Amino acid sequence: ILNECFRPIISFFKARLVAIYPTSGKEGSSTLSSSGSFETICAVYEATLQFLSVAYETMIDFDHDTSSAPSPPTKSKNDESNSKNTSSPSRTKTPVELYHMIRSIFITIGSPFAPYQSNYSHLETIHSGMTVRVVSRDIHGAVMLNRSAGLPLLQSLQDSVEKLNGLAPFIFPLAQASMTRFESLNSGYSVCNALSTIDALIARHTGEISIAIHTLSTNILNDKDKIIDTFDEQQVQYALDVLKIAGIIRRDLTAFEEKARDRLRILAGRMGAAIDQECSVKDTISNSGNSWSLVPNSLSAVDIEAILAMPTCAEDGDMDGSSKSPSVLILQRFARPDKVGKNVVLFPDSVSATSRLVKSCQSFVFDICSALPMKHLEGLSLLPVWKQEESFWSSSTTDTYGTLPQAHITHVGEHMLALVQALEPFASDTDTLFLANLVMEDVEHVALKSWKGLLSAIDCRDSNEEFVKLLMKGRSGIKDFLIHQDSIQSFDDDEDAEDDDEVDSAKNAFCNQWLDAVCAAATGRLLEETMRIQHLSRKGCDHLAVDYNYIVNVFTALGVSGHPHPLLTHIVEMIKMDNDELQSRVATVNSDHQSLTSKVVCNVEKRIALVKGISVKF
């Protein structure tokens, strides 16, 4: 009866589905815009599965009842002839044959959905892509409208960050809906294409957020003089909020991936059971078997979706059993850790896009936090004070005693001390700090540019990035080549020092990470500018020594591990050193460069000697 009810209307049913949403999913189609969506098709499919589940339960209950009923009374030959002509399949087929027939009818009824099953990835890309594009425009507008409106810097920053914070997590409910549609239509088959489709959606959205952060940074930092003139602690706090954006995306991506992995594990078991049952049914029928044990008492909607997906989506070899099925094996590989306990990354493009977003957010925060000190240190090498000569009637003692740190240096020191107060309110919120700490890995990369500039200034361009990191952190063995090395803090033992300071709160650890980054960048820029000074008079040496001592004292007061950098105190010693002693030291150290670290120290010392008027050879 079920077969005869649906057989005449299958073609009409298929045409109606196409009218709701074309199987090609072509954008711009009139039917696409006026009738429905891919989501509508999936809803109709779910309703069909529910109907078939109820229909199966009704049919199987009837067949159980008829098979267990008492034998009918003996009939005449005419009655037997009439019975043969009107007998139902349940009375002429074995239970297994009947069950196989029901499955075939279900597949026929579900056949109008086959084009949507086989074309899932393409249709999902179009369907979800339309929503992603709308949100992308909102993301773009969040960072552009405030600029065109001419809002004050602080208000513009606040508004943009708040809007991005609201838009950032939108993609994961959309991705979850995509995953649900894949489960319903494909029941785990063609999982690689499905995951790639969802991965592309998340990566695209994350990339848009990253571009927005870069645009916001460009807009805010376009006029650094304005930032300096209007600098406020709230600028730092609003800038830090972008770390929450990156933290939310990383947190939600991790949670979504784990949930998807659990679903794939379930799909692998369901698919394997459906394949094994199909193989058993066919073997029993071919061997003329007759048993109710292979006939389930009920079929849920998810059981039926596995049955309907099999003829359309199964790959070659899937029907050889679950242990050999390529589709099952792929699901198991995604769902289970490998021999060393490592899980396969389900959404690699999204992970990469999130890593790029993290770096963009870190760079944005750093640019805001370091804008003032980096601006004041810019062009330091060109100041006329370095060439200033002593007055004829002044003594060197009184001049040195009366020399004060210059304004550009005191501005740097005052900013660093104020930065502590700007960072603490953000880090005081536990939930906010948790999200920010999710994206604080490798934050020191923001300060590398200054140190690369230093190496360029002293003609050490053959260094790699790993060496630059070690040099910046004072862990390149540099203390072995410096004056008074015994009094220099042991940078190689920082980890032990951190173990001793475990009582420090997470808040202090977070603040110190950013203070470390800004201090490192300021140190590198100060060293670079110093190496680019063309000439140092005696009075210029006094000014430079006082400036350096002031920075050393400020960084010491901050109490951040690794600061002040040992090169700062070493350069002070070089500046104060008698010319003859410095010339002798340079000539001695110049004998052989056994390492890149020794070359850096040697070139720094030769550069100091050169600007002091001492003849040296590079």
Side-chain angles (χ1 to χ4, degrees):
I1 293 173
L2 181 67
N3 189 37
E4 289 303 314
C5 285
F6 273 88
R7 184 175 56 82
I9 65 172
I10 290 295
S11 58
F12 173 78
F13 187 28
K14 182 176 181 180
R16 183 71 183 120
L17 291 178
V18 172
I20 293 174
Y21 193 83
T23 56
S24 62
K26 291 182 179 179
E27 298 181 78
S29 169
S30 59
T31 55
L32 182 63
S33 60
S34 62
S35 301
S37 67
F38 187 45
E39 194 169 352
T40 307
I41 296 295
C42 293
V44 175
Y45 185 65
E46 286 289 340
T48 304
L49 295 175
Q50 294 292 342
F51 166 76
L52 294 179
S53 176
V54 174
Y56 178 82
E57 188 172 348
T58 302
M59 288 185 290
I60 208 67
D61 286 345
F62 172 77
D63 286 315
H64 272 299
D65 292 340
T66 56
S67 64
S68 59
S71 300
T74 304
K75 298 180 180 180
S76 63
K77 291 184 178 181
N78 291 335
D79 292 336
E80 290 180 1
S81 177
N82 293 334
S83 176
K84 289 180 180 179
N85 293 333
T86 60
S87 62
S88 66
S90 62
R91 301 184 184 184
T92 60
K93 295 180 180 293
T94 66
V96 177
E97 290 174 331
L98 177 63
Y99 174 59
H100 187 262
M101 177 183 177
I102 293 173
R103 288 167 62 107
S104 299
I105 295 172
F106 282 3
I107 291 171
T108 301
I109 294 173
S111 61
F113 295 96
Y116 299 97
Q117 292 172 306
S118 59
N119 208 21
Y120 163 81
S121 294
H122 175 65
L123 296 172
E124 185 61 49
T125 299
I126 294 175
H127 173 72
S128 297
M130 291 188 291
T131 306
V132 171
R133 282 195 296 275
V134 171
V135 177
S136 295
R137 288 195 291 269
D138 292 339
I139 292 171
H140 179 73
V143 295
M144 295 302 294
L145 292 179
N146 289 336
R147 180 186 180 188
S148 60
L151 294 177
L153 177 65
L154 187 61
Q155 183 181 347
S156 176
L157 177 60
Q158 180 184 6
D159 290 350
S160 295
V161 172
E162 286 179 353
K163 290 176 182 177
L164 291 177
N165 214 341
L167 293 168
F170 123 89
I171 190 65
F172 294 100
L174 183 68
Q176 184 57 57
S178 298
M179 192 72 185
T180 301
R181 287 189 286 272
F182 162 69
E183 288 186 44
S184 178
L185 286 175
N186 287 37
S187 194
Y189 291 99
S190 304
V191 65
C192 293
N193 291 337
L195 292 180
S196 178
T197 298
I198 298 172
D199 189 19
L201 292 172
I202 301 174
R204 176 178 175 180
H205 173 75
T206 306
E208 292 291 344
I209 295 289
S210 185
I211 293 172
I213 295 296
H214 179 75
T215 303
L216 179 62
S217 177
T218 302
N219 293 344
I220 297 296
L221 299 170
N222 191 44
D223 188 355
K224 290 189 177 181
D225 291 333
K226 185 177 181 180
I227 295 180
I228 295 172
D229 294 339
T230 62
F231 182 79
D232 188 277
E233 291 180 0
Q234 287 186 313
Q235 289 181 14
V236 174
Q237 293 165 22
Y238 290 139
L240 287 167
D241 278 338
V242 303
L243 296 178
K244 288 172 54 179
I245 296 173
I248 288 171
I249 289 181
R250 174 162 284 175
R251 178 200 64 188
D252 290 355
L253 176 60
T254 301
F256 175 67
E257 186 170 43
E258 287 307 309
K259 188 174 182 179
R261 201 182 307 279
D262 290 339
R263 297 306 305 168
L264 295 182
R265 190 178 298 113
I266 293 171
L267 288 173
R270 188 185 301 161
M271 182 188 295
I275 290 173
D276 288 341
Q277 187 183 50
E278 178 72 9
C279 293
S280 299
V281 168
K282 289 183 177 180
D283 289 344
T284 301
I285 293 175
S286 62
N287 296 326
S288 301
N290 182 11
S291 173
W292 276 103
S293 62
L294 292 176
V295 181
N297 292 327
S298 64
L299 285 176
S300 66
V302 293
D303 293 330
I304 296 174
E305 75 181 26
I307 294 172
L308 299 190
M310 200 180 303
T312 302
C313 305
E315 299 181 13
D316 294 340
D318 280 341
M319 294 299 104
D320 295 336
S322 60
S323 61
K324 299 179 181 179
S325 166
S327 296
V328 174
L329 294 176
I330 291 174
L331 284 173
Q332 290 175 344
R333 181 171 65 88
F334 284 140
R336 300 173 182 173
D338 58 19
K339 294 180 180 179
V340 296
K342 187 176 180 180
N343 287 319
V344 176
V345 178
L346 301 184
F347 309 106
D349 290 346
S350 299
V351 172
S352 298
T354 302
S355 296
R356 291 192 294 272
L357 172 62
V358 168
K359 288 189 179 296
S360 296
C361 292
Q362 290 174 343
S363 297
F364 177 67
V365 174
F366 169 76
D367 288 340
I368 295 295
C369 291
S370 64
L372 191 147
M374 301 305 274
K375 179 65 176 179
H376 282 296
L377 291 173
E378 184 179 340
L380 178 144
S381 60
L382 304 176
L383 295 177
V385 69
W386 311 129
K387 300 178 182 179
Q388 181 182 347
E389 299 293 342
E390 296 174 330
S391 60
F392 179 76
W393 54 86
S394 63
S395 66
S396 61
T397 304
T398 57
D399 265 13
T400 303
Y401 180 78
T403 302
L404 297 175
Q406 298 178 85
H408 60 273
I409 289 295
T410 57
H411 285 316
V412 173
E414 290 166 359
H415 176 82
M416 296 305 305
L417 295 172
L419 192 56
V420 178
Q421 305 301 321
L423 292 167
E424 286 182 345
F426 176 87
S428 297
D429 186 284
T430 305
D431 294 336
T432 297
L433 185 59
F434 170 77
L435 291 173
N437 280 334
L438 291 177
V439 294
M440 284 298 291
E441 79 279 2
D442 196 31
V443 73
E444 65 269 11
H445 77 89
V446 296
L448 290 177
K449 182 179 179 180
S450 297
W451 286 83
K452 291 177 180 178
L454 166 64
L455 294 175
S456 177
I458 60 175
D459 196 26
C460 287
R461 299 180 179 87
D462 54 343
S463 57
N464 56 41
E465 188 162 303
E466 186 61 31
F467 173 78
V468 178
K469 287 183 180 180
L470 293 174
L471 178 65
M472 181 176 71
K473 291 180 171 293
R475 292 174 178 168
S476 60
I478 194 171
K479 68 176 185 176
D480 296 334
F481 303 96
L482 306 181
I483 299 176
H484 304 314
Q485 56 178 290
D486 295 335
S487 63
I488 296 174
Q489 178 183 352
S490 176
F491 288 82
D492 296 326
D493 298 330
D494 276 350
E495 293 182 4
D496 296 334
E498 290 174 5
D499 291 338
D500 296 336
D501 295 333
E502 286 180 350
V503 293
D504 288 346
S505 64
K507 178 182 76 173
N508 291 335
F510 175 82
C511 294
N512 285 343
Q513 277 185 283
W514 282 110
L515 290 173
D516 175 41
V518 179
C519 285
T523 298
R525 176 60 62 86
L526 176 60
L527 291 171
E528 177 192 356
E529 290 290 337
T530 302
M531 294 300 102
R532 297 189 186 280
I533 294 175
Q534 298 300 309
H535 175 68
L536 273 175
S537 65
R538 183 171 177 176
K539 185 65 176 177
C541 288
D542 291 341
H543 277 294
L544 191 59
V546 170
D547 289 348
Y548 265 69
N549 282 328
Y550 173 82
I551 288 295
V552 167
N553 291 335
V554 169
F555 286 178
T556 301
L558 289 174
V560 180
S561 178
H563 299 280
H565 195 280
L567 269 177
L568 295 177
T569 53
H570 182 69
I571 286 181
V572 173
E573 294 295 332
M574 294 295 100
I575 294 171
K576 292 181 177 180
M577 189 176 291
D578 179 81
N579 283 4
D580 292 338
E581 184 181 355
L582 178 57
Q583 186 172 26
S584 175
R585 175 179 173 82
V586 170
T588 302
V589 177
N590 191 37
S591 58
D592 185 23
H593 298 314
Q594 296 182 348
S595 70
L596 191 53
T597 301
S598 64
K599 180 180 179 181
V600 168
V601 175
C602 179
N603 285 8
V604 167
E605 293 178 350
K606 288 195 292 185
R607 184 64 190 169
I608 293 294
L610 184 65
V611 298
K612 290 182 69 175
I614 301 173
S615 178
V616 296
K617 293 182 180 180
F618 278 90

